[in-house]
Amino acid sequence: MVDFHSNSNMPTTKSLKISLSNNLSLPSLHLRPFCSSDISAASPPLCSAYDHYLRLPELRKLWSSRDFPNWSNEPVLKPALQALEITFRFMSTVFSDPRPYANRRELNRRVESLATSQIEIIAMLCEDEEYDSMTRGTVPTLNLETQQNLNQRRSYSETSLLPHLATWHKSKPAAQRILLSVECAMMRCPYTLGLGEPNLAMKPSLQYDAVCKPNELHIHAHAHTLVSKTEESLTVHATHQIIESWIQASRKLLERINKSLDNKILEKATRDCYAVERIWKVLTEIEDMHVIMDPDDFLKIKKELNSVKGETAAFCFRSKGVVEVTNMCRELKQKVPGILEVEVDPRGGPGVMEAAMKVYVEKESGFEKVHVLQAMQAIEVAMKRFFYAYKQVLVVVMGSAEASGNRVSEGGDSLSQIFMEPTYFPSLDAAKTFLGYYWENDSRGGLRT
């Protein structure tokens, strides 16, 4: 049986067996360490062409610029706000689409929903920053109550596209709903974004223009390549710039998560983990935009997008950022023994699993560990869901032959390899399996220790 009061730091080589009060027992389970190679990016020429097409070198300069050295959250919020601003530019493309056969109603709904989803993540990041006493009050804001001149009491950006969209008759209803979404999402935060939202509480306003730099951002609105400036090419370009911006924010969050876990700051790591999970979900929503693109119009530009002759790979593998963040998420499994304060048995003993079971049962003393472990597994679920959805989008947009074109040596395609591989947290999986079986078969309603 499991001794929940034993020293969890002592690895064991014995098979784990839980005795049940009704004389039933689980079969012995030998845990094996999870082994899987890193996901690899496409060939350097394809990755270089992808970077050039999206003008990523220029965007990286904007992401990495530090205009507020005392603001620790700038590396995360800056690319997040820039992703939102690119979405506003994408909105202008969608609402000005002249094609009579375009599904305008659904396009309009989806781009508005996409903007709202990103605003919710940005509000979440702002709230978490203010919750932390180490970062509270460092965000660059403009306090409207201290303005001497009433004409200077502007609560909105002068260079963002959203205030302009709110005055254009085609996009006015959607833009005004987005502004109300900003007002609602930022309610729990002591400041607001400064995009023209009502700001009924007269809270300080984020210096949006100084942080996001919309004018500089929109200079890189179009690709360098010879891709036709059709609505479909503009859609592909904008959506992938949005993805890359959120990938940059995820990278910084994951770096912060690793640092927090190393320093045993579990609550902060948990908050950042759930932010990464939400980002993977919004990436899935971005890819869904391609489902309603006109098939014929998109396939006309497909050849131009495959700029390197003789080589093909899904766009997600041409992105070095997506591949890097994917591997960073997968490597979170290495942090589990440290969280549980147990050593890994190199012979595959169940020490980590027993420690996990102990933490799950003793809620009062280990709830922070449970929270962060659940958050890490939530990242895995959201990430695998993204790659599964990505493959389905490829099938819908380009056909099943294209979706299966990126093969791996052992058979199957690279996208399937990601979402079909076993869980990254086998010890946690086994711990929950054993506990679930135990409670189903224990008539006393309590664990015997």
Side-chain angles (χ1 to χ4, degrees):
M1 75 186 82
V2 179
D3 182 7
F4 286 103
H5 298 284
S6 63
N7 186 355
S8 60
N9 290 317
M10 297 295 295
T12 177
T13 60
K14 296 180 180 179
S15 301
L16 183 64
K17 179 178 287 187
I18 298 181
S19 298
L20 304 172
S21 58
N22 56 1
N23 295 323
L24 293 176
S25 64
L26 284 170
S28 298
L29 176 65
H30 297 275
L31 294 179
R32 297 179 180 178
F34 171 72
C35 297
S36 181
S37 58
D38 285 347
I39 304 299
S40 300
S43 66
L46 276 178
C47 292
S48 177
Y50 175 88
D51 287 4
H52 186 69
Y53 167 65
L54 294 179
R55 305 188 71 168
L56 291 186
E58 294 93 331
L59 289 179
R60 290 189 185 109
K61 290 181 181 178
L62 291 177
W63 298 334
S64 60
S65 63
R66 293 299 303 270
D67 301 296
F68 306 95
N70 297 326
W71 185 28
S72 61
N73 214 26
E74 183 181 6
V76 175
L77 269 179
K78 176 171 286 188
L81 291 171
Q82 289 172 345
L84 182 63
E85 186 63 32
I86 296 171
T87 305
F88 299 152
R89 188 185 74 219
F90 183 33
M91 283 183 63
S92 68
T93 300
V94 169
F95 281 92
S96 59
D97 190 340
R99 297 174 300 170
Y101 53 86
N103 189 350
R104 291 194 187 90
R105 185 184 298 274
E106 187 60 25
L107 276 168
N108 296 351
R109 284 174 175 168
R110 292 202 181 200
V111 73
E112 181 182 340
S113 173
L114 177 59
T116 302
S117 298
Q118 293 176 81
I119 289 167
E120 290 175 354
I121 299 178
I122 291 169
M124 177 182 180
L125 294 171
C126 294
E127 290 173 23
D128 290 347
E129 179 184 29
E130 292 299 314
Y131 183 82
D132 189 344
S133 60
M134 299 295 293
T135 58
R136 186 182 303 130
T138 59
V139 61
T141 58
L142 177 66
N143 194 334
L144 302 181
E145 296 179 354
T146 62
Q147 297 297 313
Q148 299 295 328
N149 189 339
L150 291 178
N151 293 328
Q152 294 178 343
R153 297 181 66 170
R154 301 174 66 93
S155 62
Y156 58 90
S157 165
E158 297 183 30
T159 57
S160 173
L161 289 178
L162 184 60
H164 299 283
L165 291 170
T167 61
W168 184 31
H169 69 96
K170 288 186 177 181
S171 58
K172 184 177 180 179
Q176 289 186 341
R177 283 193 296 269
I178 291 173
L179 290 173
L180 291 175
S181 298
V182 173
E183 178 80 357
C184 294
M186 297 297 291
M187 267 186 187
R188 290 188 293 266
C189 196
Y191 60 90
T192 189
L193 292 185
L195 284 168
E197 60 271 22
N199 194 10
L200 299 176
M202 292 297 292
K203 296 188 293 187
S205 176
L206 175 72
Q207 296 181 31
Y208 183 89
D209 291 346
V211 175
C212 182
K213 301 180 179 178
N215 283 341
E216 295 182 38
L217 184 65
H218 293 311
I219 292 174
H220 313 303
H222 302 296
H224 283 307
T225 57
L226 298 177
V227 175
S228 305
K229 298 299 186 292
T230 63
E231 280 68 25
E232 303 321 77
S233 66
L234 293 174
T235 295
V236 172
H237 189 264
T239 52
H240 283 82
Q241 280 195 336
I242 297 169
I243 287 174
E244 291 297 329
S245 298
W246 278 112
I247 284 295
Q248 173 67 14
S250 296
R251 181 189 291 109
K252 293 301 179 181
L253 283 168
L254 286 163
E255 291 175 0
R256 214 159 69 182
I257 289 167
N258 285 319
K259 184 177 179 180
S260 297
L261 291 176
D262 291 340
N263 294 326
K264 306 298 182 183
I265 311 175
L266 300 186
E267 185 179 4
K268 183 177 180 181
T270 300
R271 293 196 301 266
D272 287 341
C273 280
Y274 280 119
V276 173
E277 180 213 13
R278 293 285 293 270
I279 290 174
W280 277 113
K281 289 180 177 180
V282 86
L283 296 185
T284 303
E285 187 176 354
I286 294 168
E287 287 300 333
D288 283 346
M289 293 293 303
H290 299 99
V291 173
I292 52 176
M293 293 196 304
D294 182 79
D296 184 59
D297 287 354
F298 175 77
L299 293 173
K300 287 177 182 177
I301 67 168
K302 175 187 168 186
K303 183 178 179 180
E304 297 179 76
L305 294 174
N306 291 329
S307 56
V308 180
K309 294 184 178 180
E311 295 190 52
T312 59
F315 254 44
C316 61
F317 295 126
R318 302 184 196 190
S319 167
K320 289 179 286 187
V322 170
V323 172
E324 180 185 355
V325 167
T326 298
N327 286 323
M328 290 177 73
C329 290
R330 296 165 84 243
E331 287 305 309
L332 287 176
K333 62 181 180 284
Q334 305 293 345
K335 300 295 183 180
V336 172
I339 294 170
L340 296 173
E341 301 178 358
V342 63
E343 295 180 4
V344 178
D345 186 349
R347 291 166 291 186
V352 177
M353 181 184 68
E354 290 182 349
M357 294 174 70
K358 181 178 179 181
V359 166
Y360 289 146
V361 172
E362 297 178 356
K363 298 180 179 63
E364 293 184 3
S365 59
F367 66 91
E368 286 189 345
K369 295 178 181 179
V370 174
H371 291 174
V372 74
L373 293 173
Q374 293 289 86
M376 289 162 62
Q377 288 190 285
I379 290 177
E380 177 188 6
V381 172
M383 188 185 78
K384 288 184 175 180
R385 185 184 293 127
F386 166 79
F387 284 103
Y388 179 80
Y390 194 101
K391 180 172 181 178
Q392 305 312 311
V393 169
L394 280 182
V395 172
V396 171
V397 174
M398 291 185 282
S400 56
E402 180 70 20
S404 301
N406 188 26
R407 313 299 293 184
V408 292
S409 57
E410 289 80 8
D413 61 275
S414 299
L415 288 170
S416 299
Q417 179 190 15
I418 297 176
F419 62 77
M420 293 293 290
E421 63 187 354
T423 176
Y424 305 148
F425 306 95
S427 296
L428 304 182
D429 178 76
K432 292 178 181 179
T433 301
F434 271 64
L435 281 177
Y437 189 90
Y438 186 89
W439 289 120
E440 287 178 4
N441 292 275
D442 183 57
S443 59
R444 296 171 302 131
L447 283 173
R448 185 171 63 189
T449 61

